[in-house]
Amino acid sequence: MKKVFHIISHFDVGGAERVAVNIAKSGTEGFEYHVVELIRARSTFTRVFIRELEDAGIRYHRAYVPDVRFHYLFERLAAYTFPLWFLPLFLKHRPAVVHSHTEMPDLAVWWFFTLFPRLLHGCKVVRTIHNTRLWSGMKGVGRRVERFFISHRSNVAISASVRDNYEKEYRQRAPMIYNGVAETPQQRYEGIVPGKINILFAGRFEPQKGVSTLVEIIKRLKDDGRFHFHLVGDGGLKADIEREVGAFECVSLRPPVHGLAAYLSSFDYLLMPSEFEGLSIMSIEASLAGLPVIANSCPGLRDTLPQDWPLCVRGNDMGKYMAIFRSLRKRTPNDPLGKKSAAFAKQRFGIRRMQEAYEAVYLY
């Protein structure tokens, strides 16, 4: 039995976390999957996340350092203390593969094998590069971590944009495996506002997600009367969003919704003004549900949509956004854009294809 340990940031909502779980749900004989948490999450989604792991028969291991948002201090503390509690777990199970997802788990895995290099014998290290920009504010240590992953041929990119940006920065061309996303049965979202064009924004309220552009779009359209914006998420810019647009009648603001993929077909459009992405799971889930995406044509987001997609904007151009919104109509069940994006997503982002591709990497 080949044991594979996925190291993720926390047991909570996140694209990288979803990728790890989707790989671990593979039913291929000869593999035993474990999911290891770096920072101990404590949200309402944590219980749901753990229940999903248990229902799928995936073994899991909780972290000790709490999830406290304070200038990355606790994240770095979790990474540097990771070897202390992971060593007994490693020696007990002797994993054949340690698979890391996102920067803090990458840092933790690098530090673990730096302290215990002999444990690399018989253990393969795999690292999925989930983003086009890495190590913001940590370039020095990031260089050392990258040398480790490059020397062990660990890297796998999730999109062409991620692969190309990594090659430009670190002079290594990583193989590419697209994230796999499962289709989700759809149900009605109770918050839909009748008679309006319902626009969804869902994600972390952080600069990367284009929150400043989102706010500007809503301000320009607040008196239009045709639109209602559903802002679903949480993050460091939540207070800014509440202050700038939270009181508008055309805005509903609510915390993250677990299983949001099951409600996507209820909306008319998904708005994604992201500055950059790795490979947007949300965009793929929307396409699979037939929900057209209004997107900034940024790395990692444009990869999820057909090349001739008419709702793409370059450089978050506000004039282009306004032209798109002026032309929008309520979506119909036979909407051609929804059908086009769904066909594209089904062909490119199959979940079984991803599982088999990673398992080939584990065996190589």
Side-chain angles (χ1 to χ4, degrees), residues 23 35 97 130 212 257 267 281 292 305 317 347 355 358 362:
I23 297 170
V35 177
V97 179
H130 284 276
S212 60
V257 176
F267 298 91
I281 298 294
L305 297 164
D317 184 281
Q347 187 275 328
Q355 292 169 341
Y358 273 110
Y362 300 157

Side-chain angles (χ1 to χ4, degrees), residues 120-298:
L120 279 166
H121 298 296
C123 180
K124 182 180 181 67
V125 179
V126 177
R127 181 276 196 104
T128 295
I129 310 170
H130 284 276
N131 227 325
T132 55
R133 300 182 191 177
L134 300 174
W135 307 109
S136 298
M138 297 179 63
K139 286 295 185 181
V141 69
R143 291 283 177 186
R144 294 195 292 273
V145 175
E146 294 308 329
R147 283 197 294 269
F148 169 80
F149 287 122
I150 290 171
S151 67
H152 289 88
R153 299 184 179 273
S154 303
N155 289 323
V156 176
I158 62 171
S159 70
S161 295
V162 167
R163 179 196 62 199
D164 295 345
N165 278 274
Y166 190 87
E167 184 178 15
K168 183 184 298 184
E169 179 75 14
Y170 297 105
R171 303 295 186 268
Q172 192 227 24
R173 190 169 182 83
M176 183 176 67
I177 298 175
Y178 282 120
N179 288 344
V181 181
E183 292 185 62
T184 305
Q186 296 295 298
Q187 53 187 299
R188 178 72 178 172
Y189 182 73
E190 296 300 330
I192 292 298
V193 180
K196 302 290 185 179
I197 300 174
N198 287 264
I199 308 291
L200 172 66
F201 172 93
R204 300 190 311 276
F205 296 156
E206 303 291 350
Q208 172 186 342
K209 299 299 181 180
V211 167
S212 60
T213 301
L214 169 71
V215 167
E216 181 63 23
I217 290 171
I218 294 173
K219 284 183 174 180
R220 293 196 182 199
L221 296 172
K222 66 181 177 65
D223 297 321
D224 186 288
R226 294 182 299 143
F227 303 103
H228 191 88
F229 293 88
H230 301 262
L231 312 185
V232 178
D234 200 356
L237 298 180
K238 180 181 180 181
D240 294 356
I241 291 176
E242 290 175 334
R243 183 180 63 253
E244 297 287 342
V245 301
F248 292 172
E249 290 186 6
C250 65
V251 172
S252 295
L253 181 62
R254 65 166 298 174
V257 176
H258 186 77
L260 182 62
Y263 303 101
L264 293 175
S265 65
S266 296
F267 298 91
D268 292 296
Y269 299 92
L270 174 68
L271 174 58
M272 296 195 70
S274 300
E275 298 290 342
F276 62 95
E277 296 276 353
L279 186 74
S280 173
I281 298 294
M282 176 57 67
S283 175
I284 298 169
E285 289 176 335
S287 291
L288 289 172
L291 176 64
V293 182
I294 304 169
N296 182 35
S297 183
C298 71

Side-chain angles (χ1 to χ4, degrees), residues 320-336:
K320 179 63 173 176
Y321 276 125
M322 291 303 100
I324 288 174
F325 275 94
R326 283 194 296 270
S327 68
L328 292 184
R329 300 290 183 269
K330 279 196 70 65
R331 190 167 60 89
T332 64
N334 294 316
D335 175 68

